[in-house]
Amino acid sequence: MLSIRRDLVDAIVEHARKDHPDEACGVIAGPEGSDRPERFVPMLNAARSPTFYEFDSMDLLRLYREMDDNDEEPVVIYHSHTATEAYPSRTDIAYANEPGAHYVLVSTRDDDTHEFRSFRIVDGVVTEEEVQVTDGE
Amino acid sequence: MAVEVRIPTILRQYTGGAKTVEGTGDTLAALIDDLESRHPGLRERLVENGSLRRFVNVYVNDEDVRFLGAEKTPLNDGDNVTVLPAVAGGS
């Protein structure tokens, strides 16, 4: 199960809406081993594409250095699908390299409502999990 | 010639859990061969048909090796190598 604060959910959805129709992506870092997403880190989609996302390689290096220095890990790795459902694609599964992370997908294909779903992706196997949205800090 | 290599979580299964390992080599390709001799399986995750895999980022002293010479990037004693899988996907 992913337990995540409402303001972080709102921040992810807002980022996804802002970058629509391109895919938006980012991380929510949290203390190592805590499974608690805390620090919202929107990333640039270096691919600037409606069907693909990739963190810029230098941004990626900076992000991992920063997390290392703070004893953090990527608790959530999120991205949006802008024309399809919020479910990991074959590409998403092939490149999923953080077995400890919650992979959050947001779909912005509908203007009025969004889908917000979370998955574990381990060794090519996708498992959807419940999302519990909490209030407050 | 010793080079320090930072290993990402996903590849620590090959290094007995170690976050950093040491290796030698005067190019990145030679370093990877040297690492493979002590950490079998690692090379396959980094290299495909003699070239670095598209979705693995390797940095020498914080520079992306794609802009340095890829697997032919020269290495010197004391260099730092960082390996990070790309964070990527698509719909």
Side-chain angles (χ1 to χ4, degrees):
Chain A
M1 182 186 73
L2 168 65
S3 182
I4 182 170
R5 287 185 344 237
R6 184 171 309 281
D7 60 304
L8 294 171
V9 173
D10 292 346
I12 290 174
V13 172
E14 193 183 324
H15 183 200
R17 288 283 180 210
K18 185 162 67 72
D19 283 11
H20 186 92
D22 285 347
E23 293 195 6
C25 55
V27 158
I28 303 180
E32 240 165 28
S34 70
D35 202 30
R36 222 168 48 233
E38 286 188 348
R39 191 166 66 88
F40 176 65
V41 190
M43 300 291 286
L44 276 180
N45 177 2
R48 287 188 180 77
S49 159
T51 55
F52 196 75
Y53 81 96
E54 183 173 8
F55 291 7
D56 172 78
S57 75
M58 291 317 292
D59 291 352
L60 179 75
L61 179 66
R62 271 192 294 273
L63 171 69
Y64 273 77
R65 279 291 146 76
E66 214 174 80
M67 290 193 296
D68 230 26
D69 291 345
N70 296 342
D71 295 318
E72 291 173 323
E73 59 191 359
V75 178
V76 166
I77 297 174
Y78 73 86
H79 77 283
S80 62
H81 284 175
T82 58
T84 55
E85 68 169 331
Y87 191 88
S89 67
R90 279 165 59 185
T91 328
D92 292 335
I93 297 164
Y95 301 139
N97 275 311
E98 289 287 0
H102 302 271
Y103 281 88
V104 162
L105 277 102
V106 177
S107 174
T108 55
R109 65 178 162 177
D110 191 298
D111 285 342
D112 303 318
T113 60
H114 61 265
E115 295 167 59
F116 185 104
R117 296 165 72 180
S118 182
F119 306 84
R120 295 287 191 170
I121 308 178
V122 181
D123 292 332
V125 178
V126 176
T127 312
E128 183 158 14
E129 58 184 2
E130 191 192 328
V131 177
Q132 187 184 65
V133 179
T134 63
D135 285 308
E137 293 289 301
Chain B
M1 230 179 41
V3 172
E4 189 186 79
V5 186
R6 288 164 83 127
I7 303 291
T9 315
I10 187 100
L11 299 181
R12 288 180 199 156
Q13 56 182 291
Y14 302 105
T15 61
K19 262 179 146 171
T20 60
V21 295
E22 283 214 337
T24 58
D26 51 14
T27 63
L28 184 58
L31 171 71
I32 292 172
D33 286 346
D34 175 60
L35 294 177
E36 176 70 16
S37 68
R38 284 181 310 285
H39 311 291
L42 194 56
R43 180 170 51 202
E44 167 71 18
R45 301 294 298 268
L46 304 178
V47 175
E48 188 178 35
N49 301 322
S51 301
L52 283 177
R53 287 181 178 273
R54 160 74 179 85
F55 288 101
V56 176
N57 296 313
V58 181
Y59 309 84
V60 173
N61 302 332
D62 294 355
E63 283 198 62
D64 188 334
V65 298
R66 281 190 199 100
F67 306 110
L68 295 176
E71 59 282 346
K72 297 185 190 73
T73 302
L75 295 176
N76 294 301
D77 206 13
D79 280 350
N80 287 295
V81 173
T82 302
V83 178
L84 283 178
V87 180
S91 52

